[in-house]
Every structure is written in structure tokens, then in C-alpha cells.
Amino acid sequence: MLIGVLGGGQLGQMIALAGLAMGLRFRFLDPSDEACAAAVGELRVGSFIDSAAIDRFVQNLDAATFEFENVPVSALHQVASRRPTYPSAKSLEVGQDRGKEKALFASVGLDVPRYVLSRTPVQLETAMEALGLPVVVKTVREGYDGKGQRVVRDEASMRSAIEALGNAEVIVERMVSFRREVSLIGVRSVTGEMAFYPLTENIHQSGMLRVSTPRADDPLQPEAERVGRAIMESLEHVGVLAIEFFVERDASGKERLLGNELAPRVHNSGHWTQDASETSQFENHLRAILGWPLGRTSLTRACVMVNMIGRVPGREELLEVRDARAWPRIHVYGKASRAGRKVGHVNVVGESLSAVESLVTALRAVTLRAEAMA
């Protein structure tokens, strides 16, 4: 079977790596002739808004999907008119619009930080004043890895935000004093079958995910799954979907989930599933869009995922970070070094979380040194 993927980045690459072992073949459409997924499938270079390029891309495909949510909805409609395509444009449209995300969260009973939508400098200033500082101002569309976002804490940063983003469609959110950040990776098949991975605790820095730790016994798992099930049913979503949450704690010490963002695709915080789950998120995404039975999603061993940003350290440095109870599984994307770019990740796996965490500090030091040289 030949699977088409809109986008040729590392997520497409990892989808294909999972699928090759299942006897599948892959074709990618990407504007760049340097797309890293070319290493694992056929790369068609072309614009997502070029109808002729899309027509060539869909030829002989058995099914299609996408690897990032900034694919134009019009391109997905064109592909879907010719071949079975999942997730649908409905999921993509919500994943591209922070306002629609918030409305969807509210519709399934998930609380969100207070927010106001803005389209003009006057509206932006009014929104920030109404919510009270500090706030986070985010572009409604095309923001990821901290791009298109500003934290506003005082009058000076308010004026700077108005100057930079006042004429854009933005969402202004009251800053949340959260205890931790978690994400849920869920998957829904064309048959309606669903499965969920354990909640994952995430650490961000400068708007980018740095460290992810799956927790097999998080008490918020049932509520997160309720939300995930309701969202996927509402969207009639097929494939992997990730939901990011803030976790607040009230005066009594009870925790609750606040909806932050969703991604209708495989997700960075689920990369640990490659080495610490019976079925990776990438394999289950393919199983879902093809209608095959979903694989088991339980955590099989302790794991912490560490992103490599900007530059990949030397393999000797990475492989030195191990002991008898824990060791690194290295995943390099084959992308050129560049500041702020995700170039790989390491899944540190082992017998226990304490053994794994003892190595993560050393690994983080190695990756940060390499990042500083990018």
C-alpha cells in the first residue's frame, strides 16, 4: 500500500519509519527539496497551494494523511476528493485556529484560561486591560514552538505587543499559575475504536518542548480521557490527536485540567512511545487511518524524552550517558543544524524512573552545550 503524507518533516519521517516495518510505502509532498522525510520515501517537491502538484501527489495513493497542522485546508480538501484522507478538514480547521480550539474545549466541559479574541490595536489594548496583566498574546493561526507569542507583564511589553501584533488576529489569555503541564495522546480509528496513552508531563523552555515524562498512574488520566474521547467524537477525528493541558491546584490541594491547545496529528510529547510503549503513536496513527486494529498503548518501562534543539551532540557524548539500569535511545532526523530547530530526540529508558531521571540531568547538559553552538 502507498500512503501519502502532506509534509516531509520529522513527524512524516517517523510515521514512515513505523510504516515500513508494516509493509507500507510512502510518498511526501513538501515545498522543500531538503525535507528530511526523503530518506524514507518518495519526495515530491511542490507547493501545497499548487493544484497540479497535488494532482501528481495523489496518483496511485491508497490513503493520505498530514504531519503538521499548517497545511492549507484547501489542499486537504483536494486530496480528500481523490483518496481516503485522515484526519479530515474538520479536525485541521480546529487545529489551525486557537479560537475554535477554545470553543471546542468549552463544548466538552473543559475549562480554559480566561481569554479574549482581538483583531485591531484598540481591541488588543482593551483585552489586555480587561484581563489584567500578566497575559499571553498569541496569533490565532500558525503559531508553534513559541512563535507568534508574547508574554505581556508590564506597560512597556504591552506597547511592544500592540506594535508587533495589534493588526493581527490574536487571542489574549490570562496567564495561568499552573503547577505542571501535561498532554494526552489519543487515537481513533475509522472504525470508531479509541485508545489513549498515559498522560505525559512536559517541560517547556522559550516556548519549545524540552523534556517529556509519561506517568502510568496520573490521577487526572480518567478526566483527560473523557475530554479526549468527547473531542475526537465531536470532530469525528481519525488518527492521532494530542491535547495539551495546564494543571491547576486549588486551595484544598485538588488538581484540575485547563485546556491549552490541541494538535490533530502525531505529537512531540508522544515520541517516548517509540521505545516505551507496545505500539508507538506513529504505528497507531497508521493503523487508525487504515482501519486496522489499534495496538496496545500501555507504558512498558520507565522513560524520559529529551529534545535536541539546534544541533545534534556527538554520538560518543550521547552514548556515554548510560549505566546498568538506564540507557539512551537516539533518534536523529537528518536536518541541518540551525538555532531553534528540532533536530532529534533521545528516549532515555530503563528499569525505574529514578534510574532514568538520574541520567537526564547529564543528558540535558550535553544537549544544551550542543544547542549553544548552533
Side-chain angles (χ1 to χ4, degrees):
M1 298 182 73
L2 179 60
I3 310 299
V5 183
L6 290 165
Q10 68 264 22
L11 297 178
Q13 182 189 79
M14 287 183 274
I15 289 172
L17 286 170
L20 290 173
M22 301 160 67
L24 303 174
R25 297 179 297 117
F26 291 85
R27 176 186 297 155
F28 305 93
L29 178 65
D30 196 278
S32 174
D33 61 3
E34 297 181 350
C36 62
V40 290
E42 175 192 356
L43 175 64
R44 297 283 179 91
V45 179
S47 169
F48 298 128
I49 60 174
D50 183 341
S51 294
I54 291 178
D55 284 341
R56 291 190 295 271
F57 166 71
V58 301
Q59 289 176 3
N60 302 318
L61 293 182
D62 292 289
T65 188
F66 56 87
E67 61 126 23
F68 74 124
E69 62 267 36
N70 287 335
V71 171
V73 171
S74 59
L76 197 65
H77 277 304
Q78 185 176 347
V79 174
S81 70
R82 302 274 298 280
R83 296 290 184 270
T85 303
Y86 305 105
S88 70
K90 186 176 182 180
S91 292
L92 182 61
E93 287 174 341
V94 173
Q96 289 181 346
D97 189 305
R98 297 183 192 276
K100 291 180 179 179
E101 282 180 345
K102 293 292 192 291
L104 177 59
F105 289 160
S107 74
V108 300
L110 175 63
D111 290 335
V112 298
R114 289 176 57 206
Y115 72 94
V116 177
L117 294 170
S118 166
R119 291 180 173 84
T120 70
V122 172
Q123 289 179 349
L124 179 54
E125 183 171 8
T126 301
M128 289 189 286
E129 291 175 347
L131 292 173
L133 302 183
V135 297
V136 182
V137 182
K138 305 176 182 178
T139 54
V140 168
R141 293 175 173 271
E142 297 185 354
Y144 64 96
D145 289 344
K147 299 176 177 66
Q149 300 186 23
R150 283 179 179 252
V151 176
V152 178
R153 300 182 185 277
D154 51 33
E155 183 73 20
S157 55
M158 178 187 290
R159 294 299 153 198
S160 176
I162 292 171
E163 182 178 347
L165 300 172
N167 289 308
E169 187 177 6
V170 299
I171 186 168
V172 187
E173 296 180 7
R174 185 82 173 99
M175 187 172 287
V176 176
S177 298
F178 55 87
R179 180 174 177 265
R180 56 195 177 110
E181 293 179 88
V182 299
S183 58
L184 178 73
I185 307 294
V187 58
R188 181 176 181 269
S189 171
V190 293
T191 66
E193 181 186 5
M194 293 190 203
F196 297 94
Y197 291 90
L199 273 173
T200 300
E201 289 191 8
N202 300 311
I203 298 173
H204 290 81
Q205 180 183 332
S206 302
M208 296 188 75
L209 179 64
R210 300 295 176 142
V211 179
S212 291
T213 305
R215 304 284 184 179
D217 55 354
D218 196 306
L220 292 174
Q221 183 82 29
E223 173 60 10
E225 289 191 16
R226 182 198 69 79
V227 169
R229 187 171 291 105
I231 285 175
M232 289 196 290
E233 288 177 344
S234 175
L235 294 173
E236 299 179 310
H237 183 85
V238 172
V240 165
L241 181 141
I243 308 170
E244 297 181 69
F245 303 94
F246 298 124
V247 178
E248 275 193 327
R249 176 180 283 177
D250 63 22
S252 69
K254 183 179 180 180
E255 291 187 334
R256 68 165 185 149
L257 296 171
L258 290 177
N260 180 24
E261 298 177 0
L262 66 80
R265 54 166 172 80
V266 292
H267 195 257
N268 195 170
S269 68
H271 289 356
W272 63 266
T273 64
Q274 292 170 305
D275 297 303
S277 180
E278 293 188 41
T279 315
S280 75
Q281 63 167 337
F282 305 102
E283 179 178 337
N284 260 339
H285 182 74
L286 292 167
R287 287 174 172 269
I289 69 173
L290 295 173
W292 298 354
L294 298 180
R296 296 180 63 180
T297 55
S298 56
L299 183 66
T300 57
R301 52 188 171 183
C303 182
V304 176
M305 189 279 299
V306 178
N307 264 336
M308 294 186 283
I309 310 294
R311 182 175 175 271
V312 176
R315 283 185 178 266
E316 294 78 11
E317 286 185 280
L318 290 172
L319 291 172
E320 284 176 1
V321 183
R322 59 180 175 180
D323 66 20
R325 299 175 302 152
W327 55 95
R329 293 292 181 89
I330 303 166
H331 300 264
V332 176
Y333 309 147
K335 298 163 72 173
S337 298
R338 188 173 73 198
R341 186 183 221 183
K342 294 175 183 174
V343 292
H345 66 275
V346 181
N347 290 328
V348 184
V349 296
E351 298 174 3
S352 67
L353 193 55
S354 60
V356 168
E357 289 179 333
S358 69
L359 296 184
V360 170
T361 300
L363 179 62
R364 287 283 289 128
V366 169
T367 59
L368 288 171
R369 282 198 300 271
E371 182 177 351
M373 298 171 63

